[in-house]
Amino acid sequence: MESSLPLVIDRAAGQALHLQLAEQIRAAVLDGRLQAGHRLPSTRDLARQLAISRAVAQSAYDQLHAEGWIEGRTGAGTFITDVGPLRPAEPRRTASPPEPERSLLTLRPGIPYIDPTPDPGWRRAWREVSSQSPPRGYDDAAGLPALRVALAEHVGRVRGIACGPENILVTNGTVHGLRLLLGVTREPGDRIAIEDPGYLNAVAAAQDHRLEIVDIPVDRDGLQVSALTDDLPAVYVTPSHQYPLGGRLPVARRNELIRWARRTGAMLIEDDYDSEFRFDVAPLPALAQLDLDRVVHLGTLSKTLSPALRLGWLVASEATVVQLADFRANSGDWPGWPMQAALLAMLRDGYLDQAIRKHRRRYAERRTRTCSVLAPYGRVIGQDAGLHITLLLSNHIDDREVSAAAREAGVAVGPLSDYRRTVSGPPGLVIGYATPTTDDLHRALEILTEVLLRAGSKG
Ligand SMILES: Cc1ncc(COP(=O)(O)O)c(C=O)c1O
């Protein structure tokens, strides 16, 4: 049966006539008005019916034919193809936009201060990138060769890790590097030791790879190395500033950890997320400085420049770097060229060092202020390094309740309990002082002290 579809041509619609026709026929197939096997009019008849040129009708049919909606049978005409049961997609329900969150002053850890006016050094790096053409191919799964050279020099100079470009893999930050490492070097069911309390993203990474997590207690100095048993093949650790308690693993414990790993063959995963910031204390050797065969070191720009850059580096034995790069060569999952080229420019130009120096001065002041304001309300720990301190509270206080009350009063601050898994310990607050402006920090601390006072935490 020939089609007598009510096709409509609208010459004022601003859409080509053959596209209008094709669209209406497609819609009729989708909503069932035109069934498989239905015969369409010849292009000559269609042109006559709609007062259009035959060329327009032919173009519409050509288009539909190319897309597989219709087929021509020699001598018999043009028919709707059997496209199978196809329902038009349900119109998408757009969720009503979330209520804008009342703006909170933030004392959450982890995000550095971002200067609203970019420095000349930052702008220079991007100008340099924009003046270059991108590389041609897919060759640099481990990272841009020149950037790997510059990063090897950087970690040698600032972290004392003796290494070459063959030991460097450029990542999208710590968590990306950690997930890649776990995915490539661990098997589901393998055990991994993680500090407790510890970094929840590391826990999530291990869980997602179906590893069995063994919680290792932490004291004021960091990981309790004596709690490691010989059957643990991997350990995730934050030795430069334990997250979240802030301990700096003493040299003797570092040596003990390395000796343990050498004896058992375990892999130590060193998360060096904020080691650039340390106040009035001498640097401690990175674990990777002590033994690059046993340690995989993870560094990041997230605390020095911004987490939004999604850029970091992994330092490991050459064999591990090759293994990870081979995996990435197939997955295509490595940082884009512009970001890597910009970091290279920032390293060559000294911009990264300069930005760190500037931030260090800013954070030193804030840290002093934060510690002195909060000292009467609990025990301040972890203040020697990084971008946050932890305030331990007396045992009768519920830190989640304090956090909720602070939120109610306009301040976002995380309870220490949120970082704990099975190892119990005192309540507390994990307080980042880097993110807000200095004025906002002062206001936030003032509000927090009122909340703590109400919670009965003074004295
Ligand atoms: C313990 C720890 N490691 C690493 C990071 C940074 O992760 P990324 O480099 O993926 O941004 C953070 C940020 O909050 C952190 O707290």
Side-chain angles (χ1 to χ4, degrees), residues 132-435:
Q132 301 167 45
S133 299
R136 195 180 307 136
Y138 290 87
D139 297 339
D140 301 327
L144 288 185
L147 177 58
R148 295 171 71 201
V149 172
L151 280 171
E153 187 279 327
H154 177 76
V155 298
R157 188 165 46 79
V158 304
R159 299 303 284 125
I161 305 171
C163 67
E166 67 282 4
N167 301 112
I168 303 281
L169 185 99
V170 186
T171 67
N172 289 122
T174 315
V175 173
H176 178 244
L178 177 63
R179 283 181 174 260
L180 174 71
L181 181 71
L182 297 182
V184 173
T185 67
R186 305 288 109 193
E187 294 293 331
D190 281 358
R191 309 176 88 207
I192 182 167
I194 300 188
E195 298 160 332
D196 183 4
Y199 183 39
L200 297 181
N201 282 343
V203 173
Q207 282 167 341
D208 287 349
H209 286 99
R210 288 183 279 135
L211 304 185
E212 186 193 326
I213 298 172
V214 178
D215 299 335
I216 304 293
V218 168
D219 61 21
R220 279 194 64 171
D221 285 334
L223 182 84
Q224 292 190 17
V225 177
S226 56
L228 294 170
T229 51
D230 287 1
D231 55 353
L232 289 165
V235 180
Y236 163 88
V237 56
T238 50
S240 66
H241 190 224
Q242 200 278 328
Y243 193 80
L245 294 185
R248 300 173 75 230
L249 205 65
V251 173
R253 251 199 233 181
R254 288 175 195 244
N255 291 343
E256 187 190 347
L257 183 56
I258 294 286
R259 276 197 304 274
W260 173 85
R262 283 184 182 153
R263 185 167 53 75
T264 62
M267 172 189 277
L268 303 177
I269 304 170
E270 176 177 38
D271 179 350
D272 201 49
Y273 66 107
D274 67 2
S275 67
E276 290 84 354
F277 301 107
R278 140 182 80 65
F279 310 102
D280 312 323
V281 286
L284 291 167
L287 289 179
Q289 177 184 347
L290 302 174
D291 192 337
L292 205 49
D293 284 330
R294 295 267 53 89
V295 180
V296 176
H297 175 97
L298 296 162
T300 181
L301 286 185
S302 290
K303 311 298 151 190
T304 50
L305 295 183
S306 164
L309 300 178
R310 304 313 308 137
L311 207 64
W313 48 90
L314 177 151
V315 190
S317 69
E318 184 176 1
T320 302
V321 169
V322 167
Q323 200 186 359
L324 300 180
D326 281 352
F327 177 84
R328 288 214 309 207
N330 297 324
S331 70
D333 179 23
W334 63 87
W337 169 78
M339 197 51 248
Q340 294 196 57
L343 175 58
L344 176 59
M346 290 173 203
L347 287 168
R348 279 186 178 156
D349 199 24
Y351 171 69
L352 184 61
D353 290 339
Q354 186 196 323
I356 292 171
R357 277 197 300 275
K358 190 166 145 189
H359 279 313
R360 231 181 240 152
R361 284 193 296 273
R362 175 177 283 126
Y363 297 147
E365 250 176 57
R366 291 167 171 225
R367 173 202 75 125
T368 306
R369 170 82 176 214
T370 307
C371 293
S372 65
V373 170
L374 295 176
Y377 299 89
R379 189 150 63 93
V380 174
I381 58 169
Q383 68 272 45
D384 288 340
L387 307 179
H388 73 269
I389 54 115
T390 296
L391 180 70
L392 296 180
L393 301 170
S394 34
N395 281 326
H396 70 277
I397 291 179
D398 181 332
D399 54 12
R400 290 195 167 107
E401 274 176 16
V402 173
S403 166
R407 190 175 186 84
E408 197 52 40
V411 174
V413 64
L416 179 55
S417 300
D418 281 0
Y419 298 82
R420 296 195 187 279
R421 299 188 303 280
T422 54
V423 180
S424 55
L429 296 175
V430 182
I431 298 166
Y433 47 78
T435 320

